[in-house]
Amino acid sequence: MEKKITLPTHKFHIKTGDTVVVIGGNSKGQRGVVKEVIVEKDRARVEGVAMITKHLKPTASNPQGSLEKTEGSIHISNLKLVDPATGEPTRTGRKLNEKGKLQRFSKKTGNFIPDVRK
């Protein structure tokens, strides 16, 4: 029997490439750029935040084995977007822009947040 993956019906306030600040957990206060959003688990990987150590088995090319530091995932609710205009953490909303398309905006300044993935 195949495992059925159900995708969430809501949109996230964080996208890949956004600069975010961690607002809860062990990495509280750290800033970084989102490398990946894991939609199925409501989590994200942020560059240089929540570092974990992975133990790698010895192989023919690496007979000693090794320890590798990588980014762990953080729940989306513990991240807040940094407003590109002010550099401050902000809540986000969605409203129609001039072209009639929904776009994210900063609730602190009211300015639209440009999409960094383009």
Side-chain angles (χ1 to χ4, degrees), residues 54-96:
K54 290 185 99 173
H55 296 260
L56 298 177
K57 280 184 165 184
T59 60
S61 61
N62 186 11
Q64 278 291 316
S66 63
L67 298 174
E68 183 181 287
K69 291 242 182 215
T70 61
E71 289 93 2
S73 63
I74 302 172
H75 198 270
I76 291 276
S77 66
N78 292 329
L79 298 175
K80 201 174 229 186
L81 184 69
V82 173
D83 189 355
T86 62
E88 296 282 321
T90 182
R91 293 181 301 136
T92 59
R94 293 176 188 280
K95 65 181 175 183
L96 294 174

Side-chain angles (χ1 to χ4, degrees), residues 2-102:
E2 290 185 40
K3 188 175 181 181
K4 198 174 208 179
I5 298 174
T6 58
L7 296 176
T9 57
H10 60 280
K11 291 224 175 205
F12 295 123
H13 62 282
I14 303 291
K15 292 182 180 181
T16 304
D18 284 342
T19 303
V20 295
V21 63
V22 181
I23 59 170
N26 292 340
S27 302
K28 185 176 181 176
Q30 292 184 347
R31 288 178 183 235
V33 177
V34 177
K35 290 173 67 175
E36 172 189 15
V37 176
I38 306 163
V39 177
E40 299 84 27
K41 296 183 178 179
D42 290 353
R43 298 177 82 79
R45 291 192 203 285
V46 181
E47 214 170 87
V49 177
M51 299 301 286
I52 58 171
T53 305
K54 290 185 99 173
H55 296 260
L56 298 177
K57 280 184 165 184
T59 60
S61 61
N62 186 11
Q64 278 291 316
S66 63
L67 298 174
E68 183 181 287
K69 291 242 182 215
T70 61
E71 289 93 2
S73 63
I74 302 172
H75 198 270
I76 291 276
S77 66
N78 292 329
L79 298 175
K80 201 174 229 186
L81 184 69
V82 173
D83 189 355
T86 62
E88 296 282 321
T90 182
R91 293 181 301 136
T92 59
R94 293 176 188 280
K95 65 181 175 183
L96 294 174
N97 61 8
E98 302 83 34
K99 297 177 183 174
K101 190 170 182 186
L102 273 180

